Amino acid sequence: MNRFKTISFLYFLVVIHFNISCQISPSGSKRNSPKFDQQTKPISEKEFEKLRKKTEEISKLYPDSANFYAIRVMKIARTFNSNSKIAKALSTNAYVKSSQNLEDQALKLNQQSYLINNELNDQAEIAKNYLIFAGIYQNKSDYVNSTNYYLKSLKISKKEKLPSISIRCLRELSTININQGKPDLALKYGFQALAFVKKHPDDREKAKCFVNIGGSYQQLGNIGLTKKYYEDAYTLFLKIKDKQSIAWILTGLSNVYYAEDQEKALLMMLEAENIYKEIAPNNPIRISNIGNIGSVYFNFAQHFAEKNNFKNEIIPNSKEKLLAEAENYYLTAIKLSKNIPNNLYFIKQNLANLQAFEGDFKNAYTNLLESKNLEDSLFSQKNKNAIAKLESEKVVLELKTKNEKKATLIKILLASALGIFLIGFLGFRNFRNKQKLQNLKINQLEKDKQLLSINGVIQGQEEERSRIAKDLHDGLGGLLSGTKLSLTHMKENLILTEENAQQFDQSLQMLDTTIQDLRRVSHNLMPEALVKYGLIDALKDFCGNLQNSTQMEVSFLSFGEYRKLDVMQETFVYRIVQELINNAVKDAQATEIITQLTYLPNKLLVVVEDNGVGYDPVSVQDKKGAGLKNIEYRVQYLNGTLETNSSENNGTSINIELHV
């Protein structure tokens, strides 16, 4: 089971892009193709957009129908006599071709669409062009270009307020990092996508985000959170009746559960098989799932003495029936895998093991031999180009050898000269490296000394803030409250004219205002919520109070499992966020500020974004005030990194990664 299970699990991760990218009908059914009016007649712009959207939605499930309607979209676009409509039709055709893995055709069509949209300065359609470019390069496994285009699309979609494109970009960036084995970054993008979905609720998109987050935690080895997010995705897919996604997530969950509960994993595989059999009988994931079912039955049969009391009646309770079921599933998988040599190789090998276990050595030998031939064929196919290249290089080498012999003496002389030069160069480089190492050590010592000094200054500031806050609250605050109480009692015993009574009341109101301002100042110096309840509650209070006192929308979101940091660390993080938000309020002219805290096992990610006027980070590099320098000092103290993304009129996003 282990070898077959490994291949199946890797395949499950690779097809995340396929499954969560395509939109499917709520029922997931493929029995009836969608119907459109087949007449090419004038339609409204709204109907044109609806037809275009529907064509893209069916591109993976019904490729033939999608091709037909993509052509029709182009014909209708020409009836509008509009370059904008032509560009939209071209991008729809590109999307359909990309969905069918015809990447070169898709690239050409999308380039034509982009050129028109760029000339028209249609930012929304340019964002979509970038999204399609990214998907094309992602299908080609060119993750550098793919990431670049997703980031371009994301930047425009945020500015133009296109949440569906923003969510898609963030999810696919998460998928790319899962496929590249970068779970920390994948998790970051996954949670950012989820934050967008929470602001623009959509159960399907939410479920897809859960899949990405679960896949990230699976790579991090956190099986508990993997199960949680996969099961949450499964619940949502059930709610929206998305059958194909239900089968797909069940296949993934069965791989997660296999190590601890094979019976539960088997039931998930069987449930997925029933769905695949109904709506997607030729789906490659179904074939892998069938092979896995056979391997589980075979494993149960091999260890029947240990596992002869199954909880579910669906599972045969005899060794012979288990073997028969295993063989039946293997044979079904072989029948469906006729055009997939990789699957045939593993399944025939597993079938041969089963037949040998039953004593059917003749058929076991036949299947084992076929498996070996498939293995040889696969090896030969994989290496055909490499062998041809080597043979070609051999011929070229023979032709070159005759000319090279004539120049042997010259090469020897050049090699000798080069050797002498290299010896001198290496000796000089060794000397320089020693000097560099010494300078690095000196710089590090100076840096450590500076950091220690900064640490002392910042700690001293926090202690002084705490002392002043306590003195203000307990001393001056108590004195003012006592004064107010005394004046209130005095008023009751005095006979005042109406005018004097009014002035007396105004004085008491001014005293109330002074006490409130004093409490606010004291709270800012050392927030009570930070000391009593921790970082998250303190930041919620801060953002809530700021929103109540300004015209801005100030949001705070937290993700991951909360970890209590030590007092100094939580204070430093609070000061960092407080300073960044205050800067946005004072200078950014923003109407919306979003703060996110993401807790990872050994890291804390802080993101503060605003939709303000932005600025050029390079131009202000030498004009940093005390506030920004204090932020950098605190980030440096917490072994973190700070990244600023901003440009004029495009808002500001500050990403901080702290190792705490």
Side-chain angles (χ1 to χ4, degrees):
M1 175 67 182
N2 287 339
R3 296 180 68 187
F4 197 93
K5 175 177 173 291
T6 300
I7 294 299
S8 174
F9 171 66
L10 289 174
Y11 192 81
F12 174 76
L13 282 181
V14 169
V15 298
I16 283 179
H17 171 62
F18 173 86
N19 281 279
I20 67 177
S21 297
C22 66
Q23 300 292 325
I24 64 177
S25 60
S27 65
S29 174
K30 291 182 65 176
R31 286 180 287 185
N32 298 311
S33 296
K35 295 181 179 179
F36 296 109
D37 178 15
Q38 296 187 14
Q39 299 296 321
T40 305
K41 60 183 180 181
I43 61 175
S44 67
E45 290 191 13
K46 185 176 180 180
E47 290 172 325
F48 173 76
E49 291 297 335
K50 185 177 179 181
L51 177 62
R52 183 184 175 211
K53 181 180 178 182
K54 198 68 178 178
T55 302
E56 293 174 4
E57 286 178 353
I58 67 171
S59 58
K60 284 188 183 293
L61 291 178
Y62 312 108
D64 293 336
S65 297
N67 286 330
F68 175 81
Y69 293 116
I71 294 170
R72 185 166 178 264
V73 166
M74 180 59 75
K75 288 181 180 179
I76 293 173
R78 292 194 178 102
T79 66
F80 283 97
N81 194 26
S82 163
N83 285 341
S84 173
K85 297 294 186 297
I86 295 292
K88 290 179 178 180
L90 285 167
S91 71
T92 294
N93 276 263
Y95 187 93
V96 170
K97 295 299 181 186
S98 179
S99 298
Q100 298 165 13
N101 296 320
L102 300 172
E103 309 304 344
D104 292 335
Q105 295 180 39
L107 193 62
K108 185 177 179 181
L109 290 165
N110 200 48
Q111 284 171 339
Q112 294 173 19
S113 173
Y114 170 73
L115 289 173
I116 298 173
N117 288 324
N118 193 45
E119 186 175 346
L120 297 172
N121 195 29
D122 189 335
Q123 293 298 308
E125 286 298 317
I126 289 173
K128 184 169 183 179
N129 287 139
Y130 284 152
L131 185 68
I132 295 172
F133 278 134
I136 292 169
Y137 285 115
Q138 188 174 356
N139 289 341
K140 288 184 171 187
S141 298
D142 183 350
Y143 294 135
V144 174
N145 275 318
S146 181
T147 299
N148 182 40
Y149 278 112
Y150 277 133
L151 291 173
K152 285 183 176 181
S153 180
L154 180 63
K155 182 178 179 180
I156 296 175
S157 65
K158 282 184 175 181
K159 182 179 178 182
E160 298 294 320
K161 296 183 179 179
L162 306 169
S164 61
I165 293 181
S166 296
I167 292 167
R168 173 77 183 277
C169 289
L170 289 166
R171 278 198 293 99
E172 295 300 347
L173 286 167
S174 177
T175 299
I176 286 173
N177 283 284
I178 289 174
N179 292 339
Q180 288 187 305
K182 299 176 180 177
D184 286 343
L185 197 52
L187 202 59
K188 174 184 173 183
Y189 283 121
F191 277 126
Q192 287 183 7
L194 186 59
F196 261 98
V197 174
K198 287 180 177 179
K199 295 177 70 175
H200 307 277
D202 183 319
D203 284 341
R204 190 185 303 278
E205 289 295 345
K206 192 175 184 180
K208 293 173 185 178
C209 291
F210 285 160
V211 172
N212 279 87
I213 294 169
S216 303
Y217 277 124
Q218 191 164 8
Q219 285 194 355
L220 287 168
N222 192 328
I223 301 303
L225 286 175
T226 301
K227 289 179 184 176
K228 176 189 180 303
Y229 282 102
Y230 276 174
E231 287 170 351
D232 288 347
Y234 173 70
T235 301
L236 285 173
F237 285 138
L238 279 176
K239 178 182 175 183
I240 60 178
K241 299 179 182 179
D242 185 342
K243 286 188 176 181
Q244 186 158 311
S245 292
I246 290 169
W248 165 60
I249 198 67
L250 281 170
T251 305
L253 270 170
S254 68
N255 283 289
V256 177
Y257 274 99
Y258 180 79
E260 63 182 54
D261 190 341
Q262 293 183 20
E263 189 172 338
K264 185 172 183 178
L266 176 61
L267 294 176
M268 290 179 175
M269 294 175 192
L270 291 170
E271 186 180 349
E273 163 58 9
N274 289 334
I275 299 172
Y276 281 131
K277 192 174 181 179
E278 177 190 355
I279 66 170
N282 296 316
N283 191 311
I285 308 176
R286 182 206 176 194
I287 301 170
S288 296
N289 187 56
I290 290 172
N292 280 353
I293 294 172
S295 295
V296 174
Y297 277 131
F298 182 33
N299 186 51
F300 284 166
Q302 286 176 297
H303 304 90
F304 187 73
E306 305 167 16
K307 301 180 178 180
N308 60 354
N309 187 21
F310 299 109
K311 299 174 185 176
N312 199 294
E313 295 179 357
I314 296 175
I315 304 173
N317 211 12
S318 78
K319 185 176 180 180
E320 292 72 19
K321 289 181 180 179
L322 286 167
L323 289 170
E325 287 287 350
E327 185 170 4
N328 179 51
Y329 277 103
Y330 281 150
L331 292 173
T332 302
I334 289 171
K335 182 179 179 181
L336 293 170
S337 298
K338 56 185 178 182
N339 296 322
I340 311 176
N342 264 322
N343 279 1
L344 278 173
Y345 158 59
F346 284 106
I347 298 169
K348 281 187 174 290
Q349 188 180 71
N350 289 341
L351 179 60
N353 291 335
L354 182 147
Q355 290 166 337
F357 182 78
E358 291 180 310
D360 184 2
F361 297 108
K362 181 179 178 181
N363 284 324
Y365 175 75
T366 301
N367 281 304
L368 191 62
L369 188 62
E370 289 181 11
S371 175
K372 182 67 171 64
N373 290 336
L374 282 166
E375 183 181 23
D376 293 341
S377 174
L378 287 168
F379 178 82
S380 175
Q381 186 65 34
K382 288 178 182 177
N383 290 281
K384 185 184 289 184
N385 292 336
I387 292 169
K389 183 180 178 183
L390 287 173
E391 289 176 347
S392 176
E393 289 176 349
K394 182 180 177 183
V395 173
V396 174
L397 185 62
E398 288 175 352
L399 292 172
K400 287 183 177 180
T401 301
K402 295 179 181 179
N403 294 327
E404 287 176 352
K405 286 181 179 178
K406 296 178 183 179
T408 301
L409 182 60
I410 296 174
K411 286 186 177 182
I412 292 172
L413 291 173
L414 288 173
S416 300
L418 182 61
I420 294 170
F421 171 76
L422 284 174
I423 291 170
F425 173 73
L426 290 173
F428 175 73
R429 191 177 69 172
N430 187 45
F431 171 73
R432 288 293 300 275
N433 284 341
K434 287 182 178 179
Q435 279 190 326
K436 286 181 180 179
L437 285 173
Q438 287 180 341
N439 290 335
L440 283 173
K441 288 180 180 178
I442 292 170
N443 290 337
Q444 186 62 42
L445 288 171
E446 290 178 349
K447 186 177 179 181
D448 290 345
K449 183 179 178 182
Q450 183 183 14
L451 192 59
L452 189 62
S453 175
I454 291 167
N455 178 29
V457 171
I458 293 176
Q459 283 187 341
Q461 287 178 347
E462 293 301 332
E463 289 172 0
E464 186 64 13
R465 283 172 182 262
S466 179
R467 185 190 66 78
I468 294 172
K470 187 175 180 181
D471 288 347
L472 287 173
H473 187 275
D474 297 343
L476 188 55
L479 182 61
L480 288 173
S481 296
T483 302
K484 179 189 172 185
L485 185 62
S486 177
L487 288 172
T488 303
H489 286 313
M490 185 184 297
K491 180 185 176 184
E492 293 174 356
N493 297 321
L494 291 175
I495 299 174
L496 300 172
T497 65
E498 183 178 347
E499 183 179 354
N500 289 338
Q502 187 176 2
Q503 289 179 352
F504 200 98
D505 288 339
Q506 287 177 351
S507 299
L508 287 176
Q509 288 175 3
M510 291 172 63
L511 191 57
D512 273 338
T513 303
T514 304
I515 292 171
Q516 289 174 5
D517 287 345
L518 181 65
R519 286 176 178 170
R520 179 176 54 78
V521 171
S522 174
H523 179 78
N524 286 337
L525 285 170
M526 182 51 64
E528 187 178 357
L530 182 63
V531 178
K532 287 186 177 180
Y533 307 113
L535 180 60
I536 290 180
D537 287 331
L539 288 175
K540 282 181 181 177
D541 283 353
F542 176 72
C543 292
N545 292 335
L546 188 61
Q547 179 165 294
N548 292 334
S549 62
T550 65
Q551 298 299 317
M552 295 184 180
E553 183 179 344
V554 185
S555 304
F556 174 75
L557 301 168
S558 64
F559 304 103
E561 188 174 350
Y562 172 69
R563 292 184 288 111
K564 177 70 175 175
L565 308 178
D566 67 43
V567 176
M568 187 56 66
Q569 289 176 331
E570 292 208 333
T571 303
F572 278 17
V573 175
Y574 180 87
R575 295 299 180 206
I576 290 170
V577 175
Q578 184 185 43
E579 185 66 35
L580 290 174
I581 293 177
N582 285 336
N583 287 346
V585 171
K586 289 187 296 182
D587 303 324
Q589 301 177 28
T591 60
E592 183 179 1
I593 301 172
I594 299 174
T595 302
Q596 299 176 37
L597 245 61
T598 302
Y599 284 88
L600 299 178
N602 297 309
K603 294 178 184 177
L604 178 62
L605 307 180
V606 180
V607 179
V608 178
E609 293 181 308
D610 67 67
N611 64 347
V613 295
Y615 62 94
D616 181 3
V618 177
S619 65
V620 301
Q621 187 66 30
D622 299 325
K623 303 177 183 178
K624 293 179 181 176
L628 286 176
K629 288 180 180 178
N630 279 338
I631 291 172
E632 290 180 350
Y633 291 154
R634 289 185 170 98
V635 170
Q636 191 178 8
Y637 174 79
L638 296 173
N639 297 319
T641 57
L642 184 148
E643 178 186 352
T644 301
N645 296 313
S646 183
S647 59
E648 293 186 9
N649 301 318
N650 284 323
T652 302
S653 175
I654 297 178
N655 302 292
I656 300 173
E657 183 176 300
L658 304 174
H659 295 270
V660 293

